[in-house]
Amino acid sequence: MNSTGTLVFLWTPWSLFLSLLAVFGMAGLCLIAWRRSGYRLAVGLLESLRLAIVVLAALMFNQPEWIETFAPEEKPAIVVCWDDSPSMETRDIIPAKPAGRQAGADQDVSPERISAARQGSRSEPTLGQPLQTRREAIGPLIEETSWDRLRGRNRVVIEPLSASHASTDNRSRRSDLYEPLVRAVEKYPHLQAVVLVSDGDWNAGRPPVEAAVRLRELAIPVFTVPVGSPTRLPDVELLSLEVPTFAVVGKSVRVGWTLESSLPRETLATVTFRSSAGDEVRKEIRIAPMGRSSDWLAWKPREIGDLTLTLTVPPQPGELLTENNRRTAPISIREEKLRVLVVESAPRWEYRYLRNALSRDPGVDVSCLLLHPGLSKQGGGNRDYIKHFPEGLEELAVFDVVFLGDVGLGEGQLTAQQCRWLKGLVEHQASGLVFMPGIEGRQFSLLDTELDELYPVVLDAAQPSGWGSRSPQHFELTELGRRSLLTRLADTPEENLEVWEGLPGFQWYAPVVRARAGSEVLAVHQDAANQYGWLPLLATRTLGAGKGLFMGTDGAWRWRKGVEDKYHYRFWGQVVRWMAYQRNMAKGETMRLYYSPDQPQLQQTVTFRANVMQPGGAPLEQGEVTARVVAPSGQARTLRFESSATESAGDDWGAYFGRYTSKEPGEHRLTLGCKQTGATLETKFFVQGVDAERIGRPARPEVLEEISRVSQGQVLAPGRWEEMVELLAQQPPPPRAVRRVQWWSHPLLVGLLVTLLGLFWIARKMVGMI
């Protein structure tokens, strides 16, 4: 680096006049004093020292400074940052006719051009008209040859915005306009200007105007090139495809989706659903104009294995963007064998038909236990019965769902220890517990145990035997119940509501007062109400990892009237599978993993819960459990699980938990491992949602205009890049580095002055003037 130095004085007319007056006045006084001494040599030297001190003070009074200028040996840099985010693949640019020397490269992509093209009937974009992507429109700007004219005096650097980020995967990258501008200043010390080519759709990092303020302080202008239509073109976008983590072969699966339309009118479309196994389902839907609409269809898988589901929306009249009309999602199809325990006292009709329904279900392995007070010993009559309640955590932990009929706490019934085990089974192992009270009112005693926390409703202690009626009473679904998979007895919402209204009525119901806070009510009594509202008869409640369900009547067996097993079997089959769903998300020989929510959304925290057993089947206490999560972009993160035993006192169920927040939609791979047992479990989970960086979003030229205005740059059009190069060529070079040394306040000069004053005082004493 070359440097030049110059000595300058920051004088004013008054400071110069006073300095000269002081110097010449002191010179006269020194001459008079020397003459009076008879021109003695010692006195002459003393007076010369006095004059030198005054001259030095006069010089300092006029503020002398040494200014050294450093000229960089490198050429000043011009950085061209171009947007390579997924939104730049939006096809909303109307190609302009070639013109001039740049016939093959010029593109009129200004917002005015897009607006005019929409308004004019001749240039209105129509389906089939060739459009360019934003990335294609800026093609000439990112070619090295386009900037050859500047290379004689500048260093031109062309780099994408992603160059300032650790990840370069399109699935995870978002548009951060702040970081590239700041990094350019740090990376290129002799920066002259920045050219920012983007659609302005920033969705990550700090506001880019903050970077513009910083560049303005450094006198570095930012020239922005906005590209893309500032208004959304006619488009139908498939935002999400909602499928469960796994499904059972031969059982219907609900597949939902959400569409967003910018079309000005309602349209009819036939969506096509396909699975990688070759299944295909079509459904005609209505697409609402200028908004979102949701729908679903039912699909019954026929094969076991990991499948990919695809939903496609056909292009609509007037739609210009068709790249976002298709979505895929993974699903695992399995065979099932759910373990169910039914505990009852007297074998009432509800119990008998429930046992028959579960024993005839090929996906359920049912075990029954009768605690009948009149029996000499517990158990039952055939192979479905067990002789006693499970005698430990290991035996109880095999059950996915437990039904508690009209049983309670006491001799010949359940014990407080067994109630505590049942609560732990739900809370720590994601099992389900179904409460089915009866006319004996024995379940009131359960409210004095730890199961009280799981009970979804409040019972009336003044009426323990419940309420009976000679005439049939009926359920009425709540708004939540109409949407729930648990209460779906038909394929469409309208048919389902009609089925529930036509079900045979019940003639007894439990003495319910109200639902507890935090419970979800799916169905209420059609006629009975109190000061709290309609009486809840079907309600659910979540505790830890599992769920509890309250069925407030014993008349569901009557649903068989006229239709045999159609609704009765379907309802209880759905109850078992709904309550065991989380528990069976992923399981191995000694490990089980489940998570909530089961369909996590983007940026939503997922709570993973794991049950780890020793090889002998006993729960592992205080183990080291970790999970490695790999996002769709390939980025990996390791989670260290904590023991659930630290959260609440009680039995150790080998339960551990960890939390994860995903920043990417799509399929994530998870590997669970335990150091003590050496066991591993691999699974996948799918994060729903729409990435913030996606194709089809309108451009935001106002963001780029603000950056240029604040940094004192200009807004340029990509089709006129020759003018852009000429404008950059006229930019003044960056200011040279300057180092200023203020001698007038420098400590060395101050020290010299003090030293001279000391010598002058000593010299006066030596010559006898003091």
Side-chain angles (χ1 to χ4, degrees), residues 190-509:
H190 310 298
L191 186 61
Q192 180 177 357
V194 177
V195 179
L196 180 59
V197 186
S198 172
D199 55 12
D201 186 22
W202 72 279
N203 44 57
R206 300 171 63 179
V209 69
E210 295 183 8
V213 172
R214 181 172 176 180
L215 266 65
R216 177 175 180 173
E217 294 174 349
L218 299 174
I220 301 175
V222 180
F223 297 89
T224 59
V225 183
V227 60
S229 171
T231 57
R232 186 175 180 181
L233 295 181
D235 178 35
V236 174
E237 181 179 5
L238 185 56
L239 293 179
S240 64
L241 178 60
E242 301 162 4
V243 298
T245 303
F246 72 92
V248 179
V249 63
K251 300 292 183 180
S252 293
V253 179
R254 179 187 176 116
V255 180
W257 63 83
T258 300
L259 291 168
E260 185 175 55
S261 172
S262 60
L263 299 178
R265 57 191 175 276
E266 182 181 78
T267 59
L268 293 177
T270 301
V271 298
T272 303
F273 168 84
R274 294 185 177 91
S275 73
S276 56
D279 299 328
E280 182 174 310
V281 180
R282 296 177 181 270
K283 183 176 182 179
E284 187 177 86
I285 63 171
R286 292 182 179 272
I287 302 177
M290 305 302 290
R292 295 189 177 187
S293 54
S294 300
D295 210 329
W296 61 276
L297 57 80
W299 164 64
K300 183 178 292 186
R302 300 174 299 173
E303 297 182 9
I304 299 173
D306 294 332
L307 304 182
T308 300
L309 308 182
T310 304
L311 187 72
T312 305
V313 182
Q316 299 303 299
E319 184 181 6
L320 298 181
L321 306 176
T322 59
E323 295 89 347
N324 50 19
N325 287 28
R326 181 175 177 271
R327 274 196 173 269
T328 61
I331 189 172
S332 177
I333 307 301
R334 312 172 184 170
E335 283 187 333
E336 67 173 352
K337 203 63 176 178
L338 303 177
R339 294 291 305 274
V340 177
L341 174 62
V342 181
V343 183
E344 182 59 277
S345 55
R348 50 181 173 157
W349 289 111
E350 184 72 4
Y351 161 77
R352 295 178 183 181
Y353 282 101
L354 172 64
R355 184 182 67 82
N356 289 340
L358 297 179
S359 62
R360 295 175 184 177
D361 191 325
V364 175
D365 183 4
V366 63
S367 298
C368 300
L369 175 63
L370 278 180
L371 304 179
H372 198 300
L375 295 178
S376 59
K377 60 180 180 178
Q378 298 178 353
N382 60 26
R383 61 183 179 85
D384 291 340
Y385 287 89
I386 59 177
K387 297 182 179 300
H388 51 75
F389 194 86
E391 295 182 341
L393 301 183
E394 296 88 344
E395 292 185 14
L396 186 60
V398 301
F399 292 105
D400 300 293
V401 182
V402 177
F403 286 79
L404 291 183
D406 195 5
V407 297
L409 184 67
E411 183 179 356
Q413 299 287 299
L414 297 178
T415 66
Q417 174 71 17
Q418 291 168 348
C419 292
R420 182 165 63 251
W421 287 349
L422 288 172
K423 179 195 173 187
L425 182 68
V426 174
E427 184 176 12
H428 299 300
Q429 296 231 345
S431 293
L433 184 60
V434 182
F435 296 98
M436 302 178 62
I439 196 171
E440 299 295 332
R442 294 189 178 94
Q443 284 203 2
F444 274 87
S445 60
L446 299 180
L447 303 181
D448 298 326
T449 70
E450 295 190 21
L451 291 179
D452 175 67
E453 190 176 351
L454 187 58
Y455 219 82
V457 298
V458 176
L459 299 180
D460 186 1
Q463 188 69 24
S465 59
W467 301 96
S469 173
R470 293 182 177 274
S471 60
Q473 310 292 307
H474 296 275
F475 288 98
E476 182 172 338
L477 293 180
T478 64
E479 187 64 32
L480 184 61
R482 296 182 184 185
R483 301 193 307 266
S484 175
L485 297 177
L486 189 64
T487 56
R488 193 178 69 192
L489 301 181
D491 293 335
T492 67
E494 295 78 13
E495 293 176 353
N496 186 58
L497 186 60
E498 184 177 345
V499 168
W500 276 91
E501 291 175 349
L503 287 176
F506 50 87
Q507 294 181 300
W508 177 90
Y509 60 94

